[in-house]
């Protein structure tokens, strides 16, 4: 086979990586939305309730499309840690969180019902006694660092 015919027959094969590469770049979507980048991260603040003031740290991850949120709540006074998950609802000013927190993975200990903006979380944390949400604390958290 002459060299020029060989080159023409190989041309589609040689062009394939360039064509596929441009398709892959054009089809790339970030796994994290701009809103998620703005709200995911660490928040610190306090809860004020019947037993007084309690300092907290909350690490939050929101999945906007799935309408879910995951969090880790640390009571900075007792050093207890709780893992939480629940519902996230997008609003015009940010979002709304409804999270349930568990100790040791299976002991329901608290619930947070709060409004979320890129810089603050405010609402109520209710501790759980005998399986019921009781003892409300008004919470206000400010963002101290962004998520990964």
């Amino acid at each position: 086979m002459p060299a020029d015919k060989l080159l023409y027959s190989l041309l589609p094969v040689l062009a394939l990586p360039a064509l596929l590469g441009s398709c892959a770049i054009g089809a790339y979507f970030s796994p994290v939305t701009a809103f998620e980048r703005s709200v995911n991260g660490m928040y610190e603040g306090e809860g004020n309730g019947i037993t007084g003031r309690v300092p907290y740290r909350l690490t939050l991850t929101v999945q906007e499309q799935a309408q879910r949120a995951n969090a880790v709540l640390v009571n900075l006074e007792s050093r207890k840690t709780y893992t939480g998950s629940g519902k996230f609802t997008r609003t015009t000013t940010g979002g709304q969180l409804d999270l349930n927190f568990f100790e040791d993975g299976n002991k329901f200990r608290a619930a947070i019902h709060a409004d979320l903006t890129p810089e603050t979380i405010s609402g109520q944390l209710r501790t759980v006694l005998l399986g019921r949400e009781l003892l409300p604390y008004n919470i206000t958290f400010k963002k101290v660092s962004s998520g990964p």
Side-chain angles (χ1 to χ4, degrees), residues 35-46 55-62 70-74 76 88 97 112 115-122 139-147:
F35 178 77
E36 290 169 346
R37 273 191 298 280
S38 73
V39 297
N40 290 349
M42 186 183 304
Y43 294 78
E44 288 186 352
E46 60 186 36
Y56 291 104
R57 178 177 295 136
L58 180 81
T59 304
L60 178 69
T61 305
V62 168
N70 296 307
V72 175
L73 179 68
V74 179
L76 296 174
F88 164 76
L97 297 170
I112 286 182
D115 294 319
L116 169 69
T117 70
E119 296 301 320
T120 62
I121 297 172
S122 60
I139 56 169
T140 304
F141 297 152
K142 295 215 181 285
K143 191 170 189 181
V144 294
S145 68
S146 296

Side-chain angles (χ1 to χ4, degrees), residues 119-135:
E119 296 301 320
T120 62
I121 297 172
S122 60
Q124 269 198 349
L125 179 145
R126 296 185 197 140
T127 59
V128 174
L129 293 173
L130 303 173
R132 298 187 61 140
E133 292 182 25
L134 303 170
L135 298 177

Side-chain angles (χ1 to χ4, degrees), residues 76-110:
L76 296 174
E77 204 167 72
S78 69
R79 300 285 187 217
K80 287 190 175 188
T81 301
Y82 308 92
T83 56
S85 63
K87 185 178 173 184
F88 164 76
T89 307
R90 187 81 153 91
T91 64
T92 56
T93 58
Q96 218 171 358
L97 297 170
D98 290 300
L99 305 170
N100 292 326
F101 288 88
F102 296 85
E103 183 178 17
D104 299 329
N106 62 355
K107 298 173 191 159
F108 184 32
R109 295 293 190 225

